[in-house]
Amino acid sequence: MKNLTLKLFFLTVFLFVTCSYVFAYEPKEFISMPDEINSKILQNIYESSRFSVNKFSDGLYQKNEFIKSDDLSAKNVWQGSPIRKLKSTIQDFTLYFKPNKFRKFGDFILEDFKLHFKEDRITYIVTRNDSYKDVLTFQGNNRFWLKSNNKSDVVIFVPQQETRFDTRTFMICPRANPETKLAKEINLVDTGYVIDKINVNFTGGTEATFSTGSIYKGRIDLKILNTDIVSSPEIPYDLSDGKDPKTSLEYVPTDNKIAQIHDDENIVGGLKFLYDMRYESGKRRVSDFTNYFWIKKNNVDLPLSFMVYKNNQKYLVNINPGACYNVILNVKVFNNAYMTQTKEVNNRLE
């Protein structure tokens, strides 16, 4: 009897999921950093070449259209019904780092530190005493060794990138010099830091409308979705139905969330605008516009080195193997799916 009950439970779950897939198309998932992007960042840093994630003239990384219907004209009815004000930007972004296991590095006690990104500047702050150094530019190929007084150091690689779009990328490597004095050639070793917390400030807004062109009704459901490390919106939903429906939403966060990170291997943050637009006849368009930040942890074992100047002296700095984080901000994705759903139970717009 118990086995029969379990079988019926799993069959019910299967049927529910299957029916949901057949009668609804809502791209709620947030994708992680693709391998091609992760590899491209490493390649651009190693080769000192230009990085750009954008594949389209409007600064989008992905832009796709799908017809999920036997009716090949399902797309045509939406001509002249654009989604407007597609905008979302990460205004500022803070990563908090802490030592993973051992706080001591030689005779030094490692301190927590944070990196704050805003307006093409990265500010490095050692949390205890708020000492800081600024990275001022995302122009050209730059490599920075940011030093504290207690070996809580970090190396940041900023590849040359396309600055006319919002997208920005850099690589963070927690590394320090185990020696107390500077030699002509310095080997920076992994100090075992991990990402502890994240704070991100998104902005964004959108509006959507279409003309039914008849006495029949139309409907627009507009939602704002977010990953769990992004603050939820104060108003997450807007609905309009009737002739020539129109909706609009602005993202206003409920709080200034500082999210705890328990696994820093592959971090996904995103803000998604989801549009469900349909005619009473069953013609339907589901669209989503997403702004991402991606962080990918890599075990980097490449012969990376560069020159630094300290006290009017030139030193060769070698980056020893260890953990580095690829960070990319403001990655924009837009999808349109077209379908005809004559079998949907709630097809009529009452």
Side-chain angles (χ1 to χ4, degrees), residues 160-186:
Q160 186 176 1
Q161 49 207 286
E162 182 58 74
T163 56
R164 66 191 178 99
F165 297 118
D166 295 329
T167 311
R168 297 290 181 267
T169 190
F170 46 94
M171 184 170 75
I172 301 166
C173 303
R175 299 288 191 278
N177 180 13
E179 306 298 330
T180 55
K181 296 182 179 180
L182 294 179
K184 289 295 182 182
E185 186 170 344
I186 302 167

Side-chain angles (χ1 to χ4, degrees), residues 42-239:
L42 292 169
Q43 179 183 357
N44 291 134
I45 288 172
Y46 189 67
E47 296 179 352
S48 298
S49 55
R50 180 184 294 274
F51 174 85
S52 177
V53 71
N54 303 295
K55 294 183 178 180
F56 300 92
S57 59
D58 48 4
L60 292 171
Y61 166 59
Q62 289 181 359
K63 189 176 183 180
N64 298 308
E65 291 193 309
F66 313 92
I67 299 179
K68 303 178 74 65
S69 169
D70 294 333
D71 180 4
L72 297 181
S73 68
K75 176 181 176 180
N76 297 334
V77 299
W78 297 100
Q79 299 298 322
S81 300
I83 294 170
R84 303 184 185 278
K85 282 182 62 184
L86 279 173
K87 65 174 185 177
S88 179
T89 305
I90 295 173
Q91 296 293 318
D92 59 88
F93 176 83
T94 306
L95 288 176
Y96 298 79
F97 287 82
K98 70 174 184 180
N100 186 20
K101 295 180 180 178
F102 305 106
R103 298 198 72 94
K104 290 201 69 176
F105 185 77
D107 295 329
F108 294 88
I109 302 297
L110 297 175
E111 297 286 345
D112 296 0
F113 69 86
K114 59 185 177 181
L115 297 170
H116 178 236
F117 167 86
K118 187 173 184 178
E119 296 177 353
D120 282 354
R121 174 178 293 187
I122 301 175
T123 305
Y124 160 74
I125 302 173
V126 177
T127 308
R128 181 175 60 86
N129 55 15
D130 280 353
S131 63
Y132 68 91
K133 296 187 178 181
D134 290 337
V135 178
L136 300 176
T137 180
F138 271 80
Q139 299 174 0
N141 292 286
N142 290 306
R143 302 169 183 207
F144 302 90
W145 176 22
L146 304 180
K147 290 176 86 286
S148 70
N149 295 323
N150 58 355
K151 305 294 184 178
S152 303
D153 301 353
V154 63
V155 177
I156 300 179
F157 295 85
V158 183
Q160 186 176 1
Q161 49 207 286
E162 182 58 74
T163 56
R164 66 191 178 99
F165 297 118
D166 295 329
T167 311
R168 297 290 181 267
T169 190
F170 46 94
M171 184 170 75
I172 301 166
C173 303
R175 299 288 191 278
N177 180 13
E179 306 298 330
T180 55
K181 296 182 179 180
L182 294 179
K184 289 295 182 182
E185 186 170 344
I186 302 167
N187 292 305
L188 300 183
V189 302
D190 193 339
T191 45
Y193 277 87
V194 294
I195 295 176
D196 180 36
K197 293 176 289 188
I198 288 178
N199 173 249
V200 59
N201 178 18
F202 278 93
T203 62
T206 189
E207 63 182 36
T209 184
F210 68 93
S211 175
T212 54
S214 68
I215 62 173
Y216 296 104
K217 294 180 180 179
R219 171 178 288 176
I220 303 176
D221 291 279
L222 176 57
K223 300 176 184 176
I224 301 179
L225 309 176
N226 58 282
T227 57
D228 57 357
I229 56 178
V230 175
S231 294
S232 299
E234 284 189 356
I235 303 176
Y237 182 77
D238 190 26
L239 168 66

